[in-house]
Amino acid sequence: MKSLIVGNWKLYINSVADGKKLLKEIDKRYPRGVKAEVVVCPQLSIAAALRAGYGGKRIAFGTQDVFYEDGAHTGSVSPKSLATSGIRFVLVGHIERRILGDTDEMVAKKAAAAIEAKLHPIICVGEPARDQEGGHFTYLATNVTASLGRLSGKDAARFTVAYDPVWAIGQEEAPSPAIIAQTVMFIRKTIADMWGREAADKVRIIYGGSVDAESAKGFRDAGIQGLLPGRASVDAAEFAGIIKAFS
Ligand code: PGA
């Protein structure tokens, strides 16, 4: 399975001009011999503009959220509108959306609607905190099962799970790869309990939370198939370093 490097630009980049500049810089620093898929996720208006103006092939475009129904839903974005704008990937259930009200059930609907529109959803999961008793595993099991609750084993290769624990986002340093490896193993086991081992082995699982070019190297052997950097993805040199670590 191909690794996936996804840059979540959040609202760090807020004009098409700045987006173009960053994209150009990433393209310029893009390492040689990259085998991973590389995706940038600006906010929607910028993603659509950059997609339309990008003649290259090596960077794909995503955005940061999507809705699950057509019709009377003022202010939402439909999966089909993304797909027809050349957007291929979409984050769903990022913690910064969950804080504003997205439940596991809504995330599950968004993921299913995205797949239906032939988008590739990146479904974010992760516990708010860790404790000595391992209560975070109980939280995570429900979080994963419910967020994937409207998909089935036959969709296994059509989405990505991003393990994006709240306690690790926006920190000075990324957590140790050993902790991430252990938790990703648990996530895969949870999926195997739902759909069987064969399907679970087809699901790509990536990690996000304070990753930069330096820490990315340590994650190569953490049993993950990619990374989801936030801050480091809007620094072209850092992002190129992260891509390189997974190539
Ligand atoms: P960060 O963000 O890399 O800036 O910690 C990661 C995320 O929100 O997924």
Side-chain angles (χ1 to χ4, degrees):
M1 140 189 8
K2 257 193 175 178
S3 300
L4 179 70
I5 306 295
V6 186
N8 178 4
W9 290 9
K10 305 194 180 187
L11 300 193
Y12 295 135
I13 299 296
N14 297 304
S15 74
V16 173
D18 286 349
K20 275 189 184 154
K21 206 164 124 202
L22 177 58
L23 185 67
K24 201 168 157 198
E25 194 66 20
I26 292 170
D27 224 17
K28 201 170 97 193
R29 291 171 182 266
Y30 200 90
R32 281 168 189 272
V34 174
K35 291 192 194 79
E37 281 186 273
V38 176
V39 179
V40 295
C41 293
Q43 54 187 300
L44 177 56
S45 54
I46 297 176
L50 296 189
R51 168 63 271 183
Y54 182 67
K57 282 213 160 58
R58 48 200 191 177
I59 297 171
F61 293 84
T63 191
Q64 303 168 11
D65 195 18
V66 69
F67 199 60
Y68 46 81
E69 260 170 17
D70 297 344
H73 299 290
T74 305
S76 296
V77 172
S78 75
K80 192 175 169 199
S81 76
L82 296 185
T84 54
S85 305
I87 306 291
R88 286 179 41 218
F89 292 81
V90 65
L91 298 173
V92 296
H94 189 280
I95 187 62
E96 287 151 18
R97 299 305 313 169
R98 290 180 186 262
I99 285 169
L100 296 177
D102 273 22
T103 60
D104 284 342
E105 173 62 9
M106 287 165 71
V107 173
K109 285 183 179 173
K110 289 179 175 188
I115 288 182
E116 175 76 30
K118 302 204 162 46
L119 296 167
H120 185 103
I122 298 158
I123 305 169
C124 301
V125 298
E127 72 283 2
R130 297 211 141 214
D131 61 54
Q132 293 293 336
E133 291 78 43
H136 47 276
F137 286 117
T138 314
Y139 178 94
L140 202 52
T142 307
N143 189 205
V144 170
T145 311
S147 300
L148 271 52
R150 285 175 181 259
L151 306 181
S152 74
K154 67 173 173 32
D155 299 316
R158 300 179 65 194
F159 70 92
T160 295
V161 171
Y163 174 51
D164 214 23
V166 184
W167 53 269
I169 295 173
Q171 303 299 310
E172 227 159 87
E173 273 182 38
S176 88
I179 289 187
I180 301 309
Q182 180 202 44
T183 317
V184 164
M185 217 186 290
F186 176 80
I187 292 173
R188 203 175 292 285
K189 185 185 171 300
T190 304
I191 300 173
D193 290 345
M194 297 169 72
W195 299 337
R197 178 52 65 183
E198 203 184 318
D201 284 343
K202 288 189 189 141
V203 176
R204 183 161 57 184
I205 306 181
I206 66 175
Y207 165 72
S210 305
V211 174
D212 59 13
E214 189 51 40
S215 59
K217 294 180 206 155
F219 286 112
R220 276 187 298 224
D221 303 318
I224 54 172
Q225 292 80 48
L227 292 167
L228 173 62
R231 287 158 296 165
S233 74
V234 292
D235 177 318
E238 286 292 325
F239 192 57
I242 293 169
I243 298 170
K244 188 152 187 236
F246 263 74
S247 298

